[in-house]
């Protein structure tokens, strides 16, 4: 079960603030001048400002995430630590995620963090289809509104397992790299054919850059606008685990 860290943070900030307020209005007046503050009041006064700042930064400015799977290879690798802009697509309240300020809409090619329609877990994929777009994925090739998305071969690795190739994909104004299996087979995540799929209003069609190794909108459908978390914009560290050292060699913006 995933830990709901935003909810825990909101609760801790609320409780520590409540303790400080209660002490100021009631408890401090009952204490003698020489009496020391109770430990819970002292800790609340120490932690509340720090936790409040963390809450504001995570909820409205930027939030860190770690990449747990290879579905976005080669753009993002397992162990990448990324930053997600929380206000690009509008300002939302923490936990309940109600949008209170309208700003920009997602663009084709954006790398976006969201909740998929079938589970309460953070996913990260690339925006492929906008509301009203017709998406086709036929024989391992992507078509948007009847036009094949241009690809340019960059590298071919027939000796790798699985055999794959790296291509540059021009998705609207965004040029980025994708990975495809050389010998395409029916992968259990992704159906081989998707024909005439029209993205509903208020929804976005998402796909991983590792096209044959990604569970995405080809499997569980488009993402509703209310499930958007934010736009991934930078890698700040790479750390595979406790047996390795953190590295900053991959630090930079996300294309």
């Amino acid at each position: 079960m995933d830990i709901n860290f935003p909810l825990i943070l909101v609760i801790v900030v609320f409780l520590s603030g409540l303790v400080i307020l209660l002490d100021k209005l009631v408890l401090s007046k009952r204490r003698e001048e020489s009496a020391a503050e109770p430990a819970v009041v002292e800790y609340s006064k120490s932690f509340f400002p720090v936790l409040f700042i963390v809450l504001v930064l995570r909820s409205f400015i930027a939030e860190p995430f770690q990449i747990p799977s290879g579905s976005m290879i080669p753009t993002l690798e397992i162990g990448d630590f990324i930053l997600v802009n929380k206000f690009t697509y509008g300002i939302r309240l923490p936990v309940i995620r109600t949008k209170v300020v309208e700003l920009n809409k997602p663009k084709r090619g954006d790398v976006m963090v969201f909740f998929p329609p079938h589970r309460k877990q953070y996913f990260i994929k690339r925006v492929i289809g906008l509301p009203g777009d017709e998406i086709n994925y036929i024989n391992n090739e992507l078509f948007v509104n009847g036009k094949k998305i241009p690809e340019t071969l960059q590298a071919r690795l027939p000796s790798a397992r699985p055999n794959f190739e790296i291509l540059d994909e021009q998705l609207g104004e965004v040029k980025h790299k994708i990975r495809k299996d050389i010998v395409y087979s029916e992968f259990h995540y992704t159906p081989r054919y998707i024909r005439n799929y029209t993205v509903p209003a208020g929804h976005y069609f998402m796909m991983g850059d590792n096209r044959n190794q990604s569970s995405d909108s080809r499997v569980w459908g488009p993402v509703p606008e209310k499930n958007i978390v934010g736009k991934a914009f930078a890698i700040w560290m790479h750390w595979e685990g406790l047996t390795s050292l953190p590295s900053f060699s991959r630090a930079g913006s996300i294309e």
Side-chain angles (χ1 to χ4, degrees), residues 166-182:
I166 302 296
L167 306 98
D168 280 341
E169 180 178 79
Q170 188 69 46
L171 194 59
E173 298 179 357
V174 178
K175 184 177 182 179
H176 65 102
K177 287 181 168 37
I178 61 173
R179 171 172 153 167
K180 288 185 177 182
D181 292 352
I182 293 174

Side-chain angles (χ1 to χ4, degrees), residues 122-137:
Y122 291 118
F123 272 46
I124 181 167
K125 308 288 180 185
R126 192 175 295 275
V127 179
I128 301 297
L130 306 178
D133 281 348
E134 183 180 288
I135 306 298
N136 287 267
Y137 198 76

Side-chain angles (χ1 to χ4, degrees), residues 51-116:
L51 294 176
F52 181 77
I53 291 172
V54 171
L55 176 63
V56 171
L57 290 176
R58 286 180 58 99
S59 301
F60 305 113
I61 308 299
E63 185 173 358
F65 289 89
Q66 182 182 12
I67 302 301
S69 76
S71 68
M72 282 295 290
I73 291 174
T75 304
L76 299 172
E77 298 181 359
I78 298 174
D80 282 346
F81 284 74
I82 66 170
L83 290 174
V84 174
N85 186 314
K86 299 297 291 289
F87 60 84
T88 296
Y89 303 133
I91 298 176
R92 300 172 185 269
L93 296 177
V95 182
I96 60 175
R97 306 191 63 256
T98 300
K99 184 183 288 189
V100 293
V101 177
E102 286 280 353
L103 292 174
N104 305 304
K105 296 292 185 181
K107 297 179 181 179
R108 199 186 326 277
D110 286 357
V111 177
M112 191 166 77
V113 173
F114 57 92
F115 293 102

Side-chain angles (χ1 to χ4, degrees), residues 169-207:
E169 180 178 79
Q170 188 69 46
L171 194 59
E173 298 179 357
V174 178
K175 184 177 182 179
H176 65 102
K177 287 181 168 37
I178 61 173
R179 171 172 153 167
K180 288 185 177 182
D181 292 352
I182 293 174
V183 179
Y184 178 68
S185 60
E186 188 87 4
F187 184 64
H188 70 280
Y189 275 157
T190 55
R192 186 165 186 171
Y193 298 97
I194 290 182
R195 297 183 182 277
N196 301 324
Y197 188 94
T198 301
V199 184
H203 289 70
Y204 297 88
F205 198 91
M206 313 299 298
M207 289 175 62

Side-chain angles (χ1 to χ4, degrees), residues 156-252:
R156 190 175 178 89
L157 290 88
S159 60
R161 293 293 180 270
N163 305 333
F164 65 87
E165 55 191 15
I166 302 296
L167 306 98
D168 280 341
E169 180 178 79
Q170 188 69 46
L171 194 59
E173 298 179 357
V174 178
K175 184 177 182 179
H176 65 102
K177 287 181 168 37
I178 61 173
R179 171 172 153 167
K180 288 185 177 182
D181 292 352
I182 293 174
V183 179
Y184 178 68
S185 60
E186 188 87 4
F187 184 64
H188 70 280
Y189 275 157
T190 55
R192 186 165 186 171
Y193 298 97
I194 290 182
R195 297 183 182 277
N196 301 324
Y197 188 94
T198 301
V199 184
H203 289 70
Y204 297 88
F205 198 91
M206 313 299 298
M207 289 175 62
D209 289 347
N210 192 354
R211 290 294 159 79
N212 305 115
Q213 308 291 329
S214 173
S215 175
D216 49 40
S217 288
R218 293 170 290 178
V219 179
W220 30 254
V223 174
E225 194 274 340
K226 65 180 181 179
N227 287 15
I228 293 174
V229 174
K231 179 182 178 181
F233 68 93
I235 301 170
W236 64 276
M237 184 179 72
H238 180 85
W239 189 21
E240 295 182 2
L242 297 176
T243 58
S244 63
L245 293 175
S247 168
F248 299 94
S249 61
R250 287 182 48 77

